[in-house]
């Protein structure tokens, strides 16, 4: 039996809220975390939560923005 593995496209699904600069971020006991959702071609989604390994909210926002840019350049959705 042979199986074919197709490379699936993964798309970042986020809404950027300009009124809330900490959107997608939360502080867990002094460490900032980011949470977002990824969607693939087969309509499955994956909720991702990851530590940004900083206690500085400014650094957390920069790390979140870099992460989103790396995952999906120019594909942010306005709220």
């Amino acid at each position: 039996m042979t199986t074919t593995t197709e490379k699936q496209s993964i798309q970042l699904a986020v809404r950027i809220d300009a009124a809330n600069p900490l959107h997608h971020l939360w502080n867990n006991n002094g460490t900032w975390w980011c949470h977002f959702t990824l969607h693939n071609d087969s309509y499955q989604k994956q909720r991702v939560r990851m530590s940004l390994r900083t206690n500085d909210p400014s650094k957390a926002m920069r790390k979140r923005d870099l992460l989103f840019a790396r995952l999906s350049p120019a594909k942010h959705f306005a709220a």
Side-chain angles (χ1 to χ4, degrees), residues 18-29:
N20 180 7
L22 296 176
H23 196 69
H24 296 285
L25 298 175
W26 86 94
N27 187 319
N28 186 9
N29 294 319

Side-chain angles (χ1 to χ4, degrees), residues 13-68:
V14 297
R15 288 193 165 89
I16 304 301
D17 183 359
N20 180 7
L22 296 176
H23 196 69
H24 296 285
L25 298 175
W26 86 94
N27 187 319
N28 186 9
N29 294 319
T31 301
W32 285 96
W33 287 68
C34 183
H35 59 96
F36 53 93
T37 303
L38 297 173
H39 293 267
N40 66 26
D41 291 339
S42 60
Y43 300 101
Q44 294 177 331
K45 63 183 174 183
Q46 177 183 0
R47 290 174 52 183
V48 179
R49 292 184 169 99
M50 61 187 314
S51 173
L52 297 174
R53 300 175 188 234
T54 184
N55 61 358
D56 181 346
S58 306
K59 286 183 183 177
M61 287 185 281
R62 283 194 302 271
K63 286 184 172 192
R64 174 207 53 205
D65 295 344
L66 289 171
L67 175 64
F68 287 175

Side-chain angles (χ1 to χ4, degrees), residues 6-12 38-44 71 75:
E6 293 181 26
K7 196 169 193 175
Q8 290 191 3
S9 171
I10 296 175
Q11 179 178 341
L12 178 65
L38 297 173
H39 293 267
N40 66 26
D41 291 339
S42 60
Y43 300 101
Q44 294 177 331
L71 289 173
K75 286 194 175 182

